[in-house]
Amino acid sequence: MAYLSLYRKYRSQTFEEILGQEHISSTLANAIREDKVAHAYLFTGPRGTGKTSTARILAKALNCVNGPTPQPCGVCPSCVAITNGSSLDVIELDAASHSGVEDTRDILQGVALASAGSNKKVYVIDEVHMLTTPSFNALLKTLEEPPEHVIFILATTEAHKVLHTIQSRTQRFDFRPIPTDVIAKHLLDVAGKESIDVEPDAIDIVARHAEGSMRDALSTLDQLSSFGRRVTAVDVERLLGGREDDAYAELFDALAQGDLGSIFWSVHSIVAQGADVRQVARGALAHARSLLLLRTAPDAGELIDAAPADRMTMTTQSERFTPSQLLRIVDLLAKALTEMRDAPNHRLLLEVALIRSASPETDPSATGLLGRIERLERRIGIEGPVPQVEAAAPAPAARPPERKPASASAPQAAPKPAAPQAAPAQGAPEPEPTTSPSAIPAEVGFGHIKDAWQQTLREVSKSSKRVHALLNPSRPTKYDDGALAVEVQSEFHAEEMSNDRNRDMVIEALHASLGIKPSVTFAAAGSKQSTSPPEEDDTSVVDISDTAPAAADLDPIELLKKGLGAEVIESDTDKR
Ligand SMILES: [Zn+2]
């Protein structure tokens, strides 16, 4: 017998088995019970969410020997024929396959003529938005006067492309992406029945990667079933081509730094892994939403669909943005996604949205203006202590953002912050988006190490996935006189990391990311060695000559010109 894919083998056969779409299956079951089944349905939603399966179950429910019944028996000739795809009562057409277009038209024109038997004929037209105009017209005509014995189920992943005249003649059901935990539970169930030995962590990754599509999840499990040994999380990551979460973390690091070059590279590397650009935009939007949630309501972290370790990484990353910055990013990405519906150049739209996110001066909207004002406030009031050096002092653009509690370090003469709510200066974007990740500061402080920590971890992962895993999560807690203290998850992790080989890997990674080779010690979270709060140490690295903007950058006229695009129309100097 030919190999049956897991997706086909475990396809839902009853309304109860349809996962994650209870709102639809219960409505349909009720309609059958009350004999109120419509003549035409529009099933919309992402692929792999159960549209075609639901259509088949509806056909079975109507034609079962016990029917119409919401619980088709599954064993009568009609049920069996529909299950194995040989029923003459269910006609499935795929509008996406071009060869069938003319057939589609013929079949549609023949619908009205088909003799009415005792059985209901169910026409399932998949990807209905792809029908050619003649086929659409034939369909429309049929829907205007549907024959008594015919039911149409139009399925589409892109509802907005279905003509309004068609939509208005159908009852619409929106299939939702299946929740990750529902997919994971089903995968575990199937893996158990098929004796596929797979770690629960690996299952979680497969489920998350499927992004709501049970079909994608099961086809990944299909691939894993051929491993012939226990499947680990690392196997899955390798199979799925790198961790998407890491890719988005990288993208948002670049956004936080306003590093346009890295933004383009991040998008490129995600797309190069085979992701659809809209999928990338959705992924970035989801990441921005998670950061916003963590930034504004840390207690709500549970609502984020991510592994606990990733959640910790995201919490750290969220602190590099202000809530209004994150809101702006969410806004711009959502807008880009909407525009992608009608425009062909998806990648351009995504990149423009990201550049606007990173550099408010390119965004003419009110929120862009707010972003620019926030940045000016930070530069005047918090980031910019009164310069005690000549204009030749290094511009801040050449350094990674310094993290420091502003109140503790601002000199007496520093101007008051223009707006107190702008006070958290952590992770402020670079004043000029010109920093390249390779720019190595002359003197590296604790703030630099913290900012570059994710980058350092990625360097580690290039050498060893295992060591990278040991460091996930981890955070630098102290840097003093060439000695760096790092907090890791547990005593076990600290001990493992303390062997020379693993420690050297971290030192090499620090050398690659920051050009330093400190001595490194590891301690478990909460242990004595790691309890000193990092904030206390931060002040030690604040050095005015390090962070003071060039004098020209503090000239109010220059700030208005650069930050807000102001023009000098008339000045006293000109009159003279
Ligand atoms: Zn039956």
Side-chain angles (χ1 to χ4, degrees), residues 64-65 72-76 79:
C64 178
V65 71
C73 71
V75 292
C76 72
C79 283

Side-chain angles (χ1 to χ4, degrees), residues 141-471:
K141 215 168 158 194
T142 317
L143 289 180
E144 273 165 9
E145 286 176 58
E148 187 57 34
H149 61 290
V150 170
I151 288 171
F152 277 99
I153 296 174
L154 314 177
T156 180
T157 49
E158 300 183 54
H160 61 279
K161 287 189 183 162
V162 178
L163 291 181
H164 185 72
T165 42
I166 300 250
Q167 294 210 23
S168 65
R169 286 174 171 79
T170 58
Q171 189 175 340
R172 175 169 166 167
F173 285 118
D174 291 339
F175 285 67
R176 297 192 281 243
I178 303 167
T180 305
D181 54 334
V182 174
I183 294 183
K185 194 162 164 286
H186 188 60
L187 287 177
L188 266 180
D189 194 35
V190 171
K193 285 179 185 156
E194 294 288 317
S195 307
I196 303 169
D197 189 10
V198 52
E199 280 181 1
D201 278 359
I203 290 271
D204 282 347
I205 297 172
V206 175
R208 265 203 303 281
H209 195 269
E211 295 188 327
S213 166
M214 190 65 88
R215 188 183 332 173
D216 287 359
L218 283 170
S219 83
T220 306
L221 189 64
D222 241 336
Q223 287 172 272
L224 295 173
S225 68
S226 61
F227 269 55
R229 58 168 169 80
R230 187 168 176 79
V231 178
T232 66
V234 175
D235 293 330
V236 175
E237 279 166 11
R238 203 167 292 151
L239 177 77
L240 297 176
R243 283 174 32 99
E244 286 194 353
D245 289 351
D246 282 350
Y248 289 117
E250 205 164 317
L251 173 62
F252 276 73
D253 276 349
L255 276 175
Q257 288 184 358
D259 180 350
L260 301 188
S262 294
I263 290 172
F264 283 117
W265 274 112
S266 296
V267 171
H268 174 79
S269 73
I270 303 175
V271 172
Q273 285 173 19
D276 170 65
V277 174
R278 273 173 306 176
Q279 201 183 318
V280 178
R282 275 194 292 271
L285 182 59
H287 193 91
R289 173 197 171 261
S290 301
L291 294 186
L292 181 62
L293 208 71
L294 289 166
R295 185 72 175 82
T296 52
D299 297 346
E302 294 288 303
L303 296 176
I304 290 169
D305 187 16
D310 288 334
R311 209 175 292 153
M312 256 181 86
T313 312
M314 278 197 250
T315 305
T316 315
Q317 191 172 50
S318 73
E319 285 160 9
R320 302 184 64 186
F321 296 90
T322 65
S324 69
Q325 263 180 314
L326 290 168
L327 263 177
R328 233 181 106 243
I329 296 173
V330 166
D331 210 38
L332 286 164
L333 286 171
K335 226 170 74 194
L337 265 167
T338 313
E339 285 168 5
M340 282 178 196
R341 287 180 183 173
D342 303 312
N345 46 352
H346 294 170
R347 186 157 177 174
L348 180 68
L349 285 170
L350 174 62
E351 286 169 346
V352 166
L354 290 171
I355 289 168
R356 285 193 175 149
S357 301
S359 43
E361 63 272 8
T362 57
D363 180 2
S365 73
T367 45
L369 186 66
L370 181 67
R372 276 174 273 169
I373 291 172
E374 272 190 358
R375 212 161 65 175
L376 288 177
E377 284 173 353
R378 274 199 295 270
R379 285 172 71 185
I380 300 170
I382 295 132
E383 287 277 76
V386 167
Q388 303 182 347
V389 288
E390 310 86 280
R399 333 190 127 268
E402 185 69 74
R403 292 209 195 164
K404 59 188 187 289
S407 52
S409 64
Q412 298 271 314
K416 285 269 176 286
Q421 67 269 30
Q426 273 103 334
E430 287 295 287
E432 308 291 340
T434 50
T435 323
S436 85
S438 57
I440 293 167
E443 200 174 308
V444 174
F446 181 60
H448 299 127
I449 296 177
K450 278 209 297 187
D451 281 336
W453 192 242
Q454 291 309 319
Q455 192 191 335
T456 306
L457 292 183
R458 281 194 291 278
E459 289 295 334
V460 171
S461 86
K462 285 178 196 165
S463 312
S464 162
K465 296 283 178 204
R466 182 173 173 276
V467 175
H468 182 250
L470 285 170
L471 289 169

